[in-house]
C-alpha cells in the first residue's frame, strides 16, 4: 500500500494506486497477446487497459500533483 504525503488524501491515493496496478497487469497481458498474435485476447486486454487507466486518471485528477508523482514513482 502506498502512503499518501497528506493523510487527507489516503483514500484517493489507495484507490488510484489500485487502478494503476490493474492497468499495469492488463498492459502485461496485452503485450503477451500481441507477441503471440492472439487478436481476441489483445482486444480484451486493450479494453481492460483503457478502462483501468481512465479510472486512474479520474481519481488522480482530484489529487495534488505531488501525490500523483508519489504514486507513479512507486508503481512505474
Amino acid at each position: 500500500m502506498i502512503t499518501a504525503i497528506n493523510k487527507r488524501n489516503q483514500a484517493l491515493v489507495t484507490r488510484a494506486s489500485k487502478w494503476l496496478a490493474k492497468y499495469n497487469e492488463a498492459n502485461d497481458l496485452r503485450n503477451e497477446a500481441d507477441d503471440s498474435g492472439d487478436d481476441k485476447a489483445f482486444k480484451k486486454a486493450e479494453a481492460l487497459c483503457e478502462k483501468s487507466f481512465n479510472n486512474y486518471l479520474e481519481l488522480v485528477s482530484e489529487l495534488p500533483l505531488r501525490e500523483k508523482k508519489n504514486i507513479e514513482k512507486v508503481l512505474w
Side-chain angles (χ1 to χ4, degrees):
M1 184 170 102
I2 297 175
T3 304
I5 296 169
N6 187 337
K7 297 300 178 191
R8 291 183 309 171
N9 298 324
Q10 185 62 54
L12 281 176
V13 167
T14 301
R15 289 175 56 204
S17 63
K18 286 182 181 179
W19 279 111
L20 186 57
K22 287 180 183 183
Y23 168 77
N24 289 335
E25 291 173 11
N27 190 42
D28 291 341
L29 290 174
R30 179 175 59 180
N31 290 338
E32 289 175 17
D34 190 32
D35 291 342
S36 67
D38 187 356
D39 287 337
K40 184 177 179 181
F42 178 82
K43 288 179 183 178
K44 184 177 180 181
E46 178 73 22
L48 186 57
C49 279
E50 194 173 315
K51 176 186 173 190
S52 56
F53 198 71
N54 285 340
N55 286 330
Y56 165 73
L57 288 177
E58 184 178 318
L59 290 168
V60 166
S61 69
E62 300 174 24
L63 290 170
L65 184 60
R66 67 177 190 261
E67 296 286 6
K68 178 184 175 190
K69 288 183 179 182
N70 186 37
I71 293 169
E72 291 176 355
K73 180 177 70 172
V74 173
L75 291 177
W76 261 337

